[in-house]
Amino acid sequence: MKFIYLENLPINSKILHSLKNDSENKIKTKTKLKTEEIRSLLTLISNIIYPTKPKSAIELFQEKYVEKLALGDKILNKTLQGGLPTKSGIIEIVGESAVGKSQLALQLCLMVQLPKQLGGLKGDALYLTTESFYSNRLETLKYFFMLKYGQYFDYDPCQHIYVETLIDLEMQQHYLYYYLPNILEKLPNIRLIIIDSIAFNFRGENNTLSFQERAKTLIEIASRLKEISDKKNLIVICINQVSDNINDNLLKLSNEKVPSLGLTWSNCINLRIELSRNTVNYIDNNIYEVHKTQPEIERILTVSQSSYIPYSKCKFIIRDDGIKGLKY
């Protein structure tokens, strides 16, 4: 079943208002519709929501074929059983500030452009930022990326990473509900969508919604993103922040940080990748390694929630040429 807004249905405005706000008996009273007319209206709505006949088992099996996007490192790929799959709903990358979330996202924006035999999807990336875009970091990553894969490109990879800034929640909702489908029609080669971050416009002074309104909005956003991931055969990644673990009385329960947006959002995602810092620095005895300009802190990537990948984790470090997995 697809997500439908009543406003998009070809229904009289008076009837539409009644449908949105009244019970069935009130609808009959206000609109003066006969039983046959109400049945006709329900048939119209049903035909829009269910426009085709049920699919056969073989059709569903054939549609289940997915491609995978490599992360640019063998150990990370192994942890995620070969990479990030298309048609996989919502993939969340969550962690504290400066742990490597945006770094991984930028790395994927380059990897997605590689030929499929090299782990890419031969496609473009759409980067929706709600805070700031790290163009300098992308340029550094691109430099090392082109040293390794330059032979496969006759263009600048940054030309195929499209960036939009969503400055507030209203703009974010409008973009995801209405404008994004048009963008995907104009740019049909987009195979990766990244939202960095999904939580920012819901927090602090940006948030004027009640808990119920926020939950409803999150469910609507998730429904739209999942529909796009499935229909367009692409990957949707939402970067999320963490917050203190508090109860309904705003009392802190522990020192442990938890993903923002609460249980409602956690129930919407299909894969959660947690990034965290380790307590030790990484020491590399390779004297020929040149792609490091600062002390390297070990970090941990954990697949903590998934409907198709078992719990797994690996250590990694961040270098000038990208994220590198470490063996335990």
Side-chain angles (χ1 to χ4, degrees):
M1 184 177 72
K2 62 182 181 179
F3 192 78
I4 294 290
Y5 284 93
L6 284 175
E7 290 84 351
N8 295 336
L9 298 177
I11 299 174
N12 177 278
S13 59
K14 178 182 175 182
I15 299 176
L16 177 62
H17 182 271
S18 185
L19 282 173
K20 293 174 65 176
N21 298 285
D22 299 323
S23 65
E24 182 178 345
N25 289 333
K26 284 186 177 181
I27 291 174
K28 289 182 179 180
T29 303
K30 283 188 174 183
T31 62
K32 309 299 183 182
L33 290 175
K34 300 177 181 178
T35 302
E36 296 78 10
E37 292 172 324
I38 292 179
R39 288 177 180 173
S40 177
L41 178 61
L42 292 175
T43 300
L44 168 66
I45 296 175
S46 298
N47 288 338
I48 294 175
I49 295 177
Y50 301 101
T52 58
K53 65 178 183 179
K55 295 179 180 179
S56 67
I58 188 63
E59 287 176 319
L60 290 174
F61 177 78
Q62 291 170 345
E63 288 181 357
K64 283 297 181 180
Y65 171 74
V66 298
E67 302 166 276
K68 288 193 174 182
L69 172 62
L71 282 77
D73 179 85
K74 291 182 179 179
I75 295 177
L76 298 182
N77 287 339
K78 184 177 180 181
T79 304
L80 287 157
Q81 294 194 345
L84 302 177
T86 59
K87 295 186 176 184
S88 55
I90 298 173
I91 298 173
E92 179 193 71
I93 300 176
V94 62
E96 295 186 64
S97 176
V99 77
K101 303 186 299 295
S102 296
Q103 167 80 30
L104 179 55
L106 293 174
Q107 188 165 314
L108 290 170
C109 287
L110 294 171
M111 290 297 300
V112 75
Q113 300 182 51
L114 285 174
K116 295 180 181 181
Q117 65 267 26
L118 295 177
L121 298 176
K122 197 59 179 175
D124 303 336
L126 176 62
Y127 202 106
L128 305 178
T129 176
T130 58
E131 301 179 60
S132 58
F133 183 73
Y134 302 97
S135 55
N136 291 337
R137 184 68 186 113
L138 178 60
E139 282 294 325
T140 302
L141 282 172
K142 184 191 73 173
Y143 171 77
F144 291 104
F145 180 80
M146 292 299 283
L147 287 180
K148 186 175 182 180
Y149 298 111
Q151 60 183 308
Y152 301 100
F153 291 85
D154 56 3
Y155 60 86
D156 185 337
C158 290
Q159 293 178 336
H160 290 256
I161 301 173
Y162 303 96
V163 182
E164 295 270 15
T165 301
L166 310 180
I167 60 175
D168 55 34
L169 184 57
E170 182 180 1
M171 182 178 181
Q172 179 174 315
Q173 288 177 269
H174 184 83
Y175 190 98
L176 296 178
Y177 294 169
Y178 306 110
Y179 194 55
L180 182 55
N182 294 330
I183 287 292
L184 295 177
E185 292 297 326
K186 295 176 182 178
L187 301 170
N189 203 38
I190 288 177
R191 304 299 308 280
L192 173 66
I193 297 174
I194 293 174
I195 304 176
D196 184 7
S197 69
I198 189 66
F200 183 78
N201 285 328
F202 284 94
R203 302 179 73 176
E205 65 275 8
N206 299 309
N207 181 18
T208 59
L209 302 177
S210 66
F211 286 121
Q212 292 83 0
E213 291 171 332
R214 188 179 78 164
K216 179 177 180 290
T217 300
L218 287 171
I219 292 171
E220 290 174 350
I221 288 175
S223 178
R224 174 55 58 92
L225 293 175
K226 289 182 179 183
E227 181 182 355
I228 288 173
S229 172
D230 184 65
K231 286 192 173 181
K232 298 296 183 180
N233 188 28
L234 50 74
I235 297 170
V236 174
I237 295 176
C238 292
I239 295 177
N240 196 6
Q241 301 160 336
V242 294
S243 57
D244 290 328
N245 187 12
I246 59 176
N247 61 18
D248 293 338
N249 296 320
L250 302 182
L251 296 177
K252 191 173 181 180
L253 298 178
S254 68
N255 292 325
E256 179 186 7
K257 300 287 186 179
V258 295
S260 297
L261 301 181
L263 185 60
T264 297
W265 177 251
S266 293
N267 287 332
C268 289
I269 63 175
N270 300 88
L271 170 63
R272 169 169 283 161
I273 300 172
E274 293 185 9
L275 305 184
S276 58
R277 292 185 185 85
N278 209 343
T279 56
V280 297
N281 286 349
Y282 174 67
I283 300 176
D284 189 358
N285 295 322
N286 183 0
I287 62 174
Y288 300 104
E289 180 58 62
V290 295
H291 304 323
K292 51 184 180 182
T293 58
Q294 57 185 348
E296 297 171 330
I297 301 173
E298 285 190 4
R299 294 167 165 86
I300 300 174
L301 181 151
T302 305
V303 179
S304 61
Q305 176 181 328
S306 174
S307 58
Y308 46 87
I309 298 177
Y311 176 89
S312 57
K313 63 181 179 178
C314 70
K315 295 189 291 186
F316 70 94
I317 54 175
I318 298 176
R319 291 185 170 169
D320 292 346
D321 57 338
I323 290 180
K324 305 297 177 186
L326 303 174
K327 293 181 180 180
Y328 263 100

